[in-house]
Amino acid sequence: MGARDIRIDAVERRFARAGQAPLLALDRVSLDLPAGSFTALIGPSGCGKSTLLRLIAGLDAPDGGAVMVGGAAPRVLQREGRLGIAFQDAALLPWRTVTGNVRLPLDVTGHRDRESLARIADLVALVGLAGFEQALPAQLSGGMRQRVAIARALVTEPDVLLLDEPFGALDQILRRTMNAELQRIWMRRATTTLLVTHGIDEALFLADRVVVMHGPPGRIATIVDVPFARPRPLTLFADPAFRALEDEVAAALYGRVPGSAA
Amino acid sequence: MTATTRRERRGTIAGLILLLLAWEAAGQGGWVAGGALPAPSQIALRAWLDRGDYPAHILGTLRTATAGFVVGSLLAFVLGVAYTRWPRLQRAMSGVDVTIFAMPAIAIVPILIIALPGDAPRVVLSALSVYYPAMVAVVLGLRQADPRLLDLVRVHGGGAVAALRWVRLRGGLPTLLSGLRVAAPAAVLGSLLAEFGSGSSAGLGTYLIGSLGRADPARLWGIGLAATALSALAYLAVGLVAARFAGDTVPASTPVGTAAGQAAGEVRGWVARSMPLLAFLLPFALWEAGTWALRLTDVSEIVFRDPAGVLAHLIWDEGAARNRGDIAAALAQTLPFALAGVALGLAVAFALAIVSLLWPPLGATLLPLSLVTQSMPLVALTPLVVLIFGRDTGGILAITVSVTFFPAFVTIAQGLALVPPGLRDLISAWGGGRGIWLRRVAIPWATPYLCAALRLAAPRALLGVMIAEWLATGTGLGNLLNEARGRMDYGTIWSVAVVSVSVAVALHTAAASLERRVLRRFAFAS
Ligand SMILES: Nc1ncnc2c1ncn2[C@@H]1O[C@H](COP(=O)(O)OP(=O)(O)O)[C@@H](O)[C@H]1O
Ligand SMILES: [Mg+2]
């Protein structure tokens, strides 16, 4: 099966709070992610980005509305082992090597066929960790650990890829490199991808569409289409058209009118 | 950093050598209690003369303690895994678990000896002693798994079994092993206690009881030290395995915030409301089921009492009033000592832990000493303390204080070690002195740990008093139990067991609820 579409329909999510009215984390959010598309989700801290991502992953259930992945509940995608996910910090098993950590999804899904196992070495090389296959997480830098987590998210060749600020802890230079690598990996195989990020430039460089959220209560403010053709070169960051789009997203994010003085 | 720890260690070693020299001098001079404290050299000489006796006894204790350790750990593992999977099960079983933890082991020794053949009482009592600390460690280890790793497993379609297999088990291993390390000396103590009144079998407990009448302090000390060495070795052996899996950082005592291995997860509605009742009734149901099971064996029925049988003994049987009177009188002798010992032991521990913050050399000497005494089997300690402090009030109080002081000191000192050093500088920067720092930081910080120590110490104090009563003073519940055993008065044996277990559970419950309140007050609880 190939990439699947994601339909988010009037989703609500409330969290109980001691001694207060429940917190409305998502307020009737609707969003369609076409199969094989790349969407970036951007917004201030606490606006409900991770909550939305967890709903799509089937790690949490909405209080109202529905989330459908490929026309079925997210749990179906889980059960079929067709989902890939990475979080802000790597969350690796400290007792497993790089190879062992990338292998974890295969162990859990039980898909330990030759073809899948062979993919581990390719992915480790792809994220630039050749030579570190047998290293333990404690022996790696933060950026290297994060790349292990990316490789792990990709090892099942998922139909849906969910990335929650995966480069948030990396420095700017490493971040750019990882952006380029992620684009390359993503272009090899169409995967419906949702990237939560704080970086406007990163969102515009990678995504077809940038969804700007406000909140709480979390809701979608604007959706900005990104027209640049792929593969996008790193020089794109300096492109005037790119800069103009950056201003547009920033305005949507901070509520400023484009072009006005700061 | 390394320089200071090395200096600290050198200080500790110097302190211990000084202690040993003082001991030798005191022993040679016969300064303490008219020669009740023999010199180390005299103890060694006696042990050499007795060398023919030791191997069989050591082996007997080692064999049964090992069997008990294995059985208890397995039980703890199976139930710990089940509790992690089904938190409600843990709630329902909490009454049983607390009973196993709090019960003074000695109280059920006569019952075990009546009910079980051969070595089984020793194995069972040592398994029961191991079970609770091991179970708490299993649950703690399995629950502390990284939530994002658990999410990752779920995202890939893995259920509870996959989470256990790929994340929880291996991740919880260091915690689990450090729990087993604490439990290892408990296995030795359980095995020793079950030799009380069992008569024939070979073991250090039997040897100790057999030597009590000879009034040879050097022999008693030799047996005590052998038992201590055995449980220290058990502690070290498990520690060696634990070190291999790193994470050797968990304190040797139950840390704050794990009050009685509280079940996580919310349960609402009528299930939640009926949980405490279920937890309360389950121990009695198991007891009833146990008596039914024993009816199927060929053990004589007259030796058993089910809950109704104990009630009959205390309430409506002929002579019930006298039975009640005996137990009430014994309890009135035992309880004040237990409570006074706890209060005194904790107060001194609290004060010394705070003082050693201001004057570190004190802590550097006391902490290792306290850790060593944690693996000292209470039984072996008791005759020695009684020899020194006498068979009366002083002896019992000395036992309860030593039983409660050392673990409490460890708990509080380890808690205080977690005070961020920056806080002290911050207070100084604001112009605050020692007084402010003590009042505003150290004492509030230590209070939750004091409560944890209270919860752990209260049941131990009762056990300490009862052992002393059984072995030495001839008073209170311990003595009543020993006498009833001699008379084969099964009604009293069962009633004393039930009453002392109930008192211990009540003490523990009161301490745990105080701890919860304090934790909430100091915002330690989530
Ligand atoms: N499990 C939860 N329980 C209670 N509140 C939560 C929970 N998860 C998220 N929240 C709250 O919901 C809001 C949105 O959180 P989140 O989705 O993590 O924001 P973001 O990822 O955009 O920073 C926040 O106010 C957060 O405190
Ligand atoms: Mg987030």
Side-chain angles (χ1 to χ4, degrees), chain B residues 130-149:
Chain B
V130 165
Y131 163 74
Y132 187 83
M135 181 277 288
V136 169
V138 171
V139 171
L140 202 67
L142 296 181
R143 286 227 176 102
Q144 81 200 156
D146 184 338
R148 284 143 327 146
L149 281 169

Side-chain angles (χ1 to χ4, degrees), chain A residues 88-112:
Chain A
Q88 172 163 15
D89 63 289
L92 303 178
L93 297 173
W95 55 88
R96 282 197 175 202
T97 60
V98 166
T99 304
N101 265 294
V102 175
R103 181 191 155 110
L104 179 66
L106 302 180
D107 286 330
V108 174
T109 55
H111 293 160
R112 282 171 291 202

